[in-house]
Amino acid sequence: MDAGPMADGAQRWPGQVTERTLADGRPILYFDDEATAGPVHETADDRPLLEAPRAGEVRYDVLTGEWVTIAGHRMNRTFLPSAADCPLDPTVDPARPTEVPDSGYDVAVFANRFPSFAPLTAGPVEGAPAVPFGPPDAPAYGHCDVVVFSSDHDAAVVDLPAARMRTIVEAWAQRTAAHSADPGVAEVFVFENSGQEIGVTLTHPHGQVYAYPVVAPRTGQLLEQARRHREATGGNLLADVLAAEQAEGTRVVLAGEHFTAYVPRAARWPVEVHLAPHRDVPDLAALDDAERAELAEVYQELLRRVNRFHPGVDQVPYISGWHQAPTGAERDLGRLHLQLFSLLRAPGKLKYLAGSESGMGAWINDTTPERIAERLREVAS
């Protein structure tokens, strides 16, 4: 399926989307910065792959009320391959095929070959003993997309051309919309891990999209707090938090026409900043053209500031995650916002999640949110 350029308009994305199929039936979508006439990305995937991969199961932890995904098939997934064997590079030599069959692309999105969640599932095991407490085990149904930001193996998101960042935003929004329409999906999470300190297993610039079959624990906590806030005040918690940060101003990092970035009052990480739209929107798919255009600019500016945070450090490892409203019940309590953070507390020193954080979930921050915000303002472009 080929999708042509979008309608004209000053803020409209000028690119196009092309959908193809990999050898095992997984979908791959190419997002081009600019629309072109005629067929594109027609190179077939000729690898001798078997059927599309299957995911495992989810099990309920009766001690915490959280679902845990059992994905034993991921133990042998690709781990830090050489640049010559990178599966995210374009296929330039048919004798060394990658996950992207074409020899060139702007942004490519495909279903993960080692998914935590997938439309095809292997569990739970038939005839397994009944679960003694709580709900029964369930298939890990869902979707796991890999979003490859560039065909350049050594590129960094912060340095990509503005047009490419705009295309990435479009890919995020499109995949959010597609997976949110699946009745088996409860929540869609768009994220990027950058840096081996974070646990990155492929250094090629990329992010991921997870479509969960159940609401994730952090979202569940947020919804509970939002429900209490609405009962007490009648307001939307995330919107009211943004308004309070804007009014106080102490922790605001930057403000645009459509977005404001601020350090949360109870920041957990040595570097942390949230980005929220001024308009109440549930997810990336709900952003209009002007908001998507500004988001592309603001996001790269935040990455530039994070990279300058520690003197002498050129690339700060980070995790960037878009929290979106659940697709079903209590969707009105959610609101789109970005959480961008780093565990690098000083050059060469990481914040380890040791006893208190990992064992008890009791967070201790070695700096103050106000200092974080002040530093992120100091290093503005």
Side-chain angles (χ1 to χ4, degrees), residues 26 52-59 67-78 110-124 138-146 179 184-185 187 189 191 193 201 208-214 216:
R26 287 176 294 141
R54 294 176 179 266
E57 61 187 340
V58 291
R59 297 181 181 179
W67 288 93
V68 177
T69 303
I70 308 299
H73 61 286
R74 284 174 52 81
M75 185 63 73
N76 296 319
R77 67 188 184 274
T78 307
F110 59 86
N112 199 319
R113 192 175 178 183
F114 302 94
S116 300
F117 310 96
L120 296 176
T121 57
Y141 178 88
H143 306 273
C144 287
D145 287 345
V146 177
H179 294 324
V185 168
E187 177 182 7
F189 182 53
F191 65 100
N193 301 324
T201 57
Q208 299 183 67
V209 180
Y210 272 24
Y212 299 102
V214 293

Side-chain angles (χ1 to χ4, degrees), residues 93-280:
D93 180 0
R96 299 173 67 89
T98 73
E99 285 283 76
V100 187
D102 210 336
S103 60
Y105 61 87
D106 292 337
V107 174
V109 182
F110 59 86
N112 199 319
R113 192 175 178 183
F114 302 94
S116 300
F117 310 96
L120 296 176
T121 57
V125 177
E126 185 175 350
V131 178
F133 309 105
D137 300 343
Y141 178 88
H143 306 273
C144 287
D145 287 345
V146 177
V147 184
V148 191
F149 299 143
S150 171
S151 60
D152 182 355
H153 181 85
D154 298 317
V157 179
V158 67
D159 298 322
L160 292 175
R164 177 62 47 77
M165 191 66 235
R166 178 67 179 84
T167 298
I168 292 170
V169 171
E170 201 67 30
W172 289 344
Q174 197 267 14
R175 300 316 292 157
T176 293
H179 294 324
S180 295
D182 185 337
V185 168
E187 177 182 7
V188 179
F189 182 53
V190 176
F191 65 100
E192 177 197 357
N193 301 324
S194 180
Q196 291 188 30
E197 299 92 335
I198 296 297
V200 169
T201 57
L202 293 173
T203 57
H204 193 115
H206 72 287
Q208 299 183 67
V209 180
Y210 272 24
Y212 299 102
V214 293
V215 171
R218 181 180 174 89
T219 302
Q221 295 171 346
L222 188 152
L223 292 174
E224 175 61 26
Q225 292 298 103
R227 187 184 311 112
R228 294 178 181 177
H229 181 79
R230 175 166 292 180
E231 291 172 354
T233 68
N236 179 286
L237 177 60
L238 288 165
D240 290 349
V241 166
L242 172 62
E245 293 290 354
Q246 290 171 322
E248 181 180 343
T250 307
R251 291 173 295 275
V252 170
V253 174
L254 64 83
E257 180 181 354
H258 303 289
F259 286 88
T260 290
Y262 62 90
V263 177
R265 190 170 182 275
R268 302 182 177 201
W269 299 94
V271 183
E272 182 174 359
V273 60
H274 291 194
L275 178 65
H278 297 165
R279 189 168 62 92
D280 288 343

